[in-house]
Each structure stands twice: as C-alpha cells, then as structure tokens.
Amino acid sequence: MGFQLANLVRENVKGLKPYSSARDEYVSDGSEMVFLDANENPFDNGVNRYPDPQQRSLKDVLAKQKGVLADNILLGNGSDEVLDLLFRAFCEPKTDAIITLPPTYGMYKVLAATNDVTNREVLLNDSFEPDVAAILREADSNTKLLFLCSPNNPTGNRFSETAIQALLEGFNGLVVIDEAYIDFSSGESWVGKLEQFPNLVVTQTLSKAYGLAGIRLGICIASTEVISVLNKIKPPYNVNELTQKRALERTLGIADVRQEVAMILKERERLIMALKNHSVTTEVFHTDANFVLARVDNAPQRYRQLLEQGVVVRNRSNQPLCNNTLRFTVGTAKENDRLLTALNNLT
Ligand SMILES: *Cc1c(COP(=O)(O)O)cnc(C)c1O
C-alpha cells in the first residue's frame, strides 16, 4: 500500500489546530508596538517576555547549516521531548507499536512504556547491523515508528547505507534516524535524503558535539507535512529564551564546535590504540561516535577497579550482545590521561 502520512496520524491529532499563542499572532516589526496581551511583567530584565514559540532566529541558522527549510525543523526540550512528540502524534496507546533494535539507546523503550505503546524488539546482528528482513517481518499497519540510532549508542557504529535505505523503502511507517552522534561520524547525515524519502525523520541534538547538554535542545528534521503535525501538539513555549539565546550563539560559532570535535576525534584515536594494546581488552569495536565500546575479560571487576581510581565509565554488560563490555566516553586529553593511567594499573 506504500507510505501514507494520513494513515499514521492519530485521529485526535488530525482534528487539532496548532495552539495560537499571543506571540504567534504579532511579531514586533521594529515599529513602536506595545504588547499588553500576555499578562507579562513589563519591566525589562531580558527574560520578562515569553520566548518565540517558533524559535525563528535559531531555526534560520540551523536551516542554513543543515541545508533544509526552517519549516522542515521542529525544536524541543532535548531530543527526549522531540521523541515523545513523535509517540504522541502517531502512536495510539494500547493499539500501536514501534520497532527498536537492541542494543540501543534506552529512551525509546521508556517512551514506549510511558505512552502505553508496544515496543517490538529486533536484535541487531553480530556485526551490530539491522536485520532488515526480520524487521520488515515484524512490521504491520499498527507499527508506526522504527527507531534507527546511527551512529548507535552504545555500540558506536553507524549502520550501513544499504540497510537503512532498504528499511526506508520497505517500512510504511516513519523511520526515525537518531543522529545524536552524527558530528563525530565519517558518514553523512540522512538529512540530505529528506526529499527522496517522505517517511524519513532525522533527530539531532546540541547535547553531544555542540557541548550544550545543560540547555536541552533537541532537533527534529522531516518533511514539512510531518513537522506541521508535530507543531499541532507541541507545548507553545517548549524551548525557553535562555536556551534559544545560548543555542543561537553556539550555532553561529560553529567553527569552535568543529575545532572541539577535531580534538575529541584525535583523542578517540589515542584511546582506541591504548585499549587495543591492553591485555584486559579482548575486542575494541569500531566507533563513529565520541565513545568507544570495548570487550574486556571481566567487566564488573574492571569497572570497579577503575571506579576505585576515580574514573567512572559505563558498564554495558547487561545489554544484549554486549556481555563484558565497557563504554568509554572520550574526555579531554587530561581526563583521558587519567583513564589510561588507571587502565595501566589494572592487573
Ligand atoms: C545522548 C543521546 C541523545 C540526546 O538526548 P537529549 O535529550 O537531546 O540530550 C539522543 N539520542 C541518543 C542515542 C543519545 O545517546
């Protein structure tokens, strides 16, 4: 039957119009307008007014940098909110389902549970790649969303283009590609393929490469049709003024971001070399992200020994296909020195 967006949108959402806030209706054009409409305190302290509900200035910069239109973008209070909006727009509680591919990011499962939507899990294969045939077998008309985390957390690899393309062509719901780590990857973003695949939704974030985890800014890039559905249900002022300002400064100064990413990638190579040469590691997995997953002889023991030396890493052993693995985030050169010293003390 093919992909039809109208078949995916929940009935209650179809009837909604976007909430029109006071600030949506009139934008100050620089002329002497007086805003006595929103019950704000009139004394200027920088944040006494409600923020722009459509974050126009920030979206204009992001649109230019990503090569899309501002109307292809929805911003949220972290990717967490963006992903939750996708559930609330497209997944009917107790009826619909999503597909996720463990081992992967834990939020998809949490959001499915809180929205009372079935989470069908199809394990990645031994190379941490999607099992395309098994995924398409799991899909039916109630399967609204398929989450592909690429580069994947916690494995670090990006998925093969062939597999992703086959899923975009074969799955009739929305394919959500979570690109939280795309800025560390040698592969290209799928944002460039938006016009080719109407069911493609890409999410990105300022929490990782952009170094702004504390301000909570998540990005959804999709067709204008998908974005306008999400706009119907988003809380009007979901991205606060301080976040919009800080995000704008940082995106305008993207050269600094690129420089930091380059340093992180250099450090990542150093960490990979050290792990590969270490006697406790049995396997160091390929990474396209700012972390390295490695298999060790005894993960709980090594985790504890690093902790005793003041170095906190992530034990991912309870994840499928990840037994005896630790996930190391790449830090500053000094932080990584601390890690390497601690690793060298392991016996
Ligand atoms: C860290 C991370 C995010 C970021 O979430 P925010 O809510 O934007 O901070 C999203 N997806 C994955 C896979 C992540 O690892």
Side-chain angles (χ1 to χ4, degrees), residues 15-269:
L16 292 176
K17 288 218 167 71
Y19 176 85
S20 175
S21 69
R23 281 306 112 81
D24 273 317
E25 288 171 37
Y26 302 102
V27 178
S28 178
D29 55 5
S31 68
E32 292 293 298
M33 283 178 110
V34 175
F35 285 101
L36 303 177
D37 56 331
N39 301 345
E40 298 148 336
N41 177 326
F43 297 104
D44 186 8
N45 60 18
V47 287
N48 59 311
R49 298 291 178 183
Y50 280 98
D52 174 5
Q54 280 301 325
Q55 310 99 21
R56 283 287 150 201
S57 320
L58 179 54
K59 275 188 194 164
D60 285 345
V61 175
L62 286 170
K64 214 172 269 162
Q65 291 180 353
K66 312 269 175 210
V68 297
L69 303 172
D71 288 345
N72 292 119
I73 302 178
L74 176 122
L75 302 178
N77 184 19
S79 306
D80 293 347
E81 185 186 39
V82 165
L83 297 171
D84 188 50
L85 288 173
L86 288 165
F87 276 90
R88 289 166 50 202
F90 300 108
C91 299
E92 196 62 34
K94 297 189 195 300
T95 305
D96 286 339
I98 62 158
I99 296 178
T100 60
L101 315 180
T104 194
Y105 187 47
M107 264 324 270
Y108 317 134
K109 188 180 195 164
V110 170
L111 290 169
T114 55
N115 285 287
D116 205 358
V117 167
T118 304
N119 176 28
R120 299 202 183 125
E121 300 191 320
V122 181
L123 283 193
L124 295 175
N125 68 22
D126 288 341
S127 319
F128 295 147
E129 287 281 346
D131 182 341
V132 174
I135 293 166
L136 295 180
R137 269 199 307 275
E138 279 297 314
D140 58 28
S141 62
N142 287 114
T143 318
K144 301 298 187 66
L145 308 172
L146 164 62
F147 286 94
L148 306 181
C149 187
S150 181
N152 188 38
N153 180 5
T155 58
N157 62 305
R158 69 188 152 94
F159 297 153
S160 88
E161 277 176 42
T162 325
I164 293 182
Q165 177 151 344
L167 290 167
L168 281 162
E169 286 166 352
F171 180 68
N172 289 332
L174 292 171
V175 178
V176 183
I177 306 185
D178 184 339
E179 294 188 335
Y181 299 98
I182 191 66
D183 302 286
F184 303 107
S185 173
S186 51
E188 272 188 37
S189 166
W190 282 81
V191 162
K193 307 270 184 168
L194 229 46
E195 288 185 20
Q196 201 177 329
F197 302 107
N199 59 337
L200 169 62
V201 175
V202 176
T203 65
Q204 297 183 354
T205 176
L206 298 194
S207 294
K208 303 287 156 60
Y210 284 73
L212 295 178
I215 69 168
R216 315 301 302 127
L217 197 285
I219 305 169
C220 179
I221 308 174
S223 70
T224 55
E225 289 82 6
V226 167
I227 294 300
S228 65
V229 172
L230 298 177
N231 266 322
K232 290 183 178 190
I233 61 165
K234 91 172 184 67
Y237 304 113
N238 61 329
V239 180
N240 73 68
E241 182 69 20
L242 300 174
T243 294
Q244 291 190 39
K245 280 215 170 92
R246 198 61 192 267
L248 185 62
E249 281 167 23
R250 187 66 162 161
T251 46
L252 287 173
I254 195 168
D256 296 340
V257 176
R258 297 209 171 107
Q259 207 172 3
E260 288 175 14
V261 167
M263 289 192 284
I264 291 167
L265 293 182
K266 227 171 105 194
E267 282 297 305
R268 182 177 79 183
E269 277 321 295

